[in-house]
Amino acid sequence: MKTLIIVSHPSVLESGSQQFLIQSLPDDEEITLHILEETYPNGDIDIKKEQKLLVNHDRILFQFPFYWYSSPPLLKKWQDEVLTEHFAFGYRGNKLKDKEFGLILAIGLPEKEYKTGGREGFSISELTKPFQAMAKKTGMIYLKPLTIFQFSYMSEKQKKALLIEYQQYISLEQPITLKSREEWLLKELEKTPQETLATEDALFILEEVREVIEDNRIELDELKLHLDNYDDK
Amino acid sequence: MKTLIIVSHPSVLESGSQQFLIQSLPDDEEITLHILEETYPNGDIDIKKEQKLLVNHDRILFQFPFYWYSSPPLLKKWQDEVLTEHFAFGYRGNKLKDKEFGLILAIGLPEKEYKTGGREGFSISELTKPFQAMAKKTGMIYLKPLTIFQFSYMSEKQKKALLIEYQQYISLEQPITLKSREEWLLKELEKTPQETLATEDALFILEEVREVIEDNRIELDELKLHLDNYDDK
C-alpha cells in the first residue's frame, strides 16, 4: 500500500509539530512526503503532476495545522485546482474512487474545548464536514482523523506515543485492529537491535506492548461473554 | 449600520453570479465592497488596513463561490492573517464582538442535493460549521446565510427576486421580519419614478408586494387562531 502525505503549512520549517512528524518518517518507498509550500513556493501548482501523484497512491493524507477550522490557503488552492471534474468527480471522474483519505490535524487548544459548551463550541467531527463531503464526492474512504492536540505541551512520553500512532496511521491497513497493531509492534521490536535500545526507550516500548496485551485481554473477555450468552440460549 | 462585503473569487471578472451581485450594489456610503483578489493580486494582505476596515463596520459579510465546501484560498489567507489573537480573540481580542457576520454563498448544485442521501450528502448548515465556529470565537452574531443555488440556471424572475433578497441581506436590520421587508419595499417603491418603470419591472415589484401582503395575511390569520384558542379556555 502506497501512502501520499500532503503537508501544508504557511511556515513549515518553523513548526515544531510538523518538523517532529516529518523527521520521524522512515525512508520507505511506500511513503511519499509532499510539502506543498516547498514544492510550490510561488503557489503555481502543476496540476498534471499532482493528479499523477494521487493516482499512484492508495492512501491520501492531508497534514496541516487546523487554523480557523480549515486547511491552509495553499492546500485549499490545491483542492480547487487539482480535484477537477472528470478526474475526481463527475462523468468518468473516478480516479480517486476507493482510495483511503485521512486528516492529520495539529490543533492548538485541548480536546475538551471542542464540544458544545466548550470554548470552541464544535467537535472535530463537525468542523471537518467539508473534508468528509470531499471524500464522499470523490468516492474516497474517509478514515478517522489523527488529531494532535497541543503538541507544544506534550510530554516526551506523549510525543513518543504520538510517533507510534502517526506511523501506524500512515502505514497500517485500515481499519486499525488490535491484531494489526500487535503485528506492527512485534515487527518494530524485531527491527530494533537489542543493544541500541536506551533504557528509557526500551521501557516505553515494553509499556506499549503491555497496553496492547491488556486491550487484547479485554477483547477476549468480551468475546467470552458473548459466547457464554450464546450457550445460555 | 455599515456593512462590509468581502468578496473572494479566483477569477471574479469571469463569474456571472459575482458580477451580477456586485453590479447591483447601490452607491451607498453605508456599504463597502471589498474584492480581495483585486485589492491584493499578489496575495500580500495589508493586515492593519484590513483590521481597521473590520472595526469600522457593523456587519461583515463573506461572499464567495462554495468550492469544495469552503472559501477560496485568498479568503482563507485573509482569515489566518487578519483575525489575529488580541484583535479578534483571546486577551483583549474583542474588536469584532457583537458585530454581525454572514455568508453569501454561490453554490453549483441544487439545494435538494445538500442533505443526507443527496449527492453532496451534507447540509449547508453542516458544511459551514467552520464559519460558525469562527463567529463564535470572535464573538460575532452569525446570520442565516444567503445561499444562491445554481445561479446560471435561474430565470429572470428568480434573478430579480435574488437581487431583492441580496440587498435586504446587506442592509436590513436583523432579524429580517415581515415588517422590515414591507418597509423596505415601500421605500424602494417611493424612490422609483413612476414613468421609468418598464412594464415588466413594475409587474415584478407588484408581485413582490402581493407576496408580502399574502405573508402578512397568513401571519395575521395565525395570530387570530391563537387568540381564538385563548378565548376558548
Side-chain angles (χ1 to χ4, degrees), chain A residues 67-74 76-77 79-80 83-84 88-89 109 118-122 126-127 129-130 132-134 136-138, chain B residues 67-74 76-77 79-80 83-84 88-89 109 118-122 126-127 129-130 132-134 136-138:
Chain A
Y67 299 152
W68 291 112
Y69 320 107
S70 189
S71 63
L74 190 54
K76 182 59 183 8
K77 192 166 190 276
Q79 286 181 281
D80 290 351
L83 305 180
T84 52
F89 64 95
L109 287 184
R119 274 164 66 197
E120 299 292 336
F122 296 87
E126 287 177 298
L127 295 168
K129 292 286 182 196
Q132 296 167 42
M134 184 199 80
K136 179 179 156 43
K137 197 177 181 81
T138 57
Chain B
Y67 298 153
W68 291 112
Y69 320 107
S70 189
S71 62
L74 189 54
K76 181 57 183 9
K77 192 166 190 275
Q79 286 181 282
D80 290 351
L83 304 181
T84 53
F89 64 95
L109 288 184
R119 273 164 65 196
E120 300 291 337
F122 296 87
E126 288 177 298
L127 295 169
K129 294 285 181 196
Q132 297 167 42
M134 184 199 80
K136 179 178 156 45
K137 196 176 181 83
T138 57

Side-chain angles (χ1 to χ4, degrees), chain A:
Chain A
M1 187 195 66
K2 295 190 78 174
T3 298
L4 174 64
I5 309 171
I6 299 177
V7 177
S8 184
H9 192 294
S11 47
V12 70
L13 289 174
E14 292 161 32
S15 162
S17 57
Q18 295 302 330
Q19 288 304 318
F20 179 79
L21 296 176
I22 289 168
Q23 283 165 17
S24 82
L25 287 173
D27 188 13
D28 184 336
E29 60 182 21
E30 299 285 286
I31 299 170
T32 306
L33 173 70
H34 182 30
I35 304 173
L36 292 184
E37 285 77 6
E38 285 189 359
T39 311
Y40 304 116
N42 302 321
D44 297 326
I45 295 168
D46 183 336
I47 296 170
K48 287 289 162 223
K49 191 182 133 199
E50 293 298 314
Q51 291 185 339
K52 207 170 158 190
L53 256 184
L54 289 171
V55 169
N56 287 337
H57 289 81
D58 312 293
R59 181 175 295 172
I60 317 294
L61 304 177
F62 284 0
Q63 176 177 317
F64 59 85
F66 202 44
Y67 299 152
W68 291 112
Y69 320 107
S70 189
S71 63
L74 190 54
L75 180 51
K76 182 59 183 8
K77 192 166 190 276
W78 181 96
Q79 286 181 281
D80 290 351
E81 297 186 0
V82 176
L83 305 180
T84 52
E85 198 172 351
H86 312 304
F87 172 79
F89 64 95
Y91 180 66
R92 290 196 174 166
N94 60 359
K95 299 296 187 294
L96 303 180
K97 199 165 173 295
D98 299 330
K99 292 183 189 292
E100 292 174 331
F101 173 75
L103 296 171
I104 298 162
L105 304 175
I107 298 170
L109 287 184
E111 184 162 18
K112 66 183 167 63
E113 305 297 349
Y114 288 87
K115 57 181 81 169
T116 313
R119 274 164 66 197
E120 299 292 336
F122 296 87
S123 69
I124 301 300
S125 290
E126 287 177 298
L127 295 168
T128 53
K129 292 286 182 196
F131 296 100
Q132 296 167 42
M134 184 199 80
K136 179 179 156 43
K137 197 177 181 81
T138 57
M140 290 196 283
I141 300 151
Y142 187 79
L143 305 179
K144 190 173 78 170
L146 174 58
T147 47
I148 304 164
F149 293 95
Q150 297 200 295
F151 174 81
S152 51
Y153 294 109
M154 277 185 178
S155 66
E156 283 309 304
K157 194 182 154 192
Q158 286 172 321
K159 284 183 183 172
K160 282 181 185 166
L162 168 62
L163 279 194
I164 290 185
E165 203 190 349
Y166 180 58
Q167 293 186 14
Q168 291 184 340
Y169 195 76
I170 287 164
S171 52
L172 272 194
E173 296 289 328
Q174 289 282 344
I176 294 174
T177 61
L178 187 61
K179 190 151 175 287
S180 63
R181 281 172 58 212
E182 273 183 327
E183 283 167 3
W184 185 87
L185 270 174
L186 291 173
K187 207 181 71 189
E188 293 296 309
L189 275 175
E190 269 168 32
K191 279 200 294 194
T192 314
Q194 202 74 21
E195 63 277 16
T196 66
L197 275 179
T199 320
E200 203 199 336
D201 284 333
L203 280 175
F204 177 74
I205 288 173
L206 284 175
E207 217 167 285
E208 276 289 307
V209 171
R210 209 202 55 223
E211 245 175 60
V212 166
I213 292 168
E214 274 173 6
D215 282 353
N216 209 346
R217 193 188 314 127
I218 292 168
E219 197 174 26
L220 289 171
D221 287 348
E222 280 176 356
L223 274 173
K224 194 168 166 298
L225 204 68
H226 279 292
L227 284 172
D228 287 349
N229 285 338
Y230 184 78
D231 284 342
D232 288 345
K233 282 176 192 156

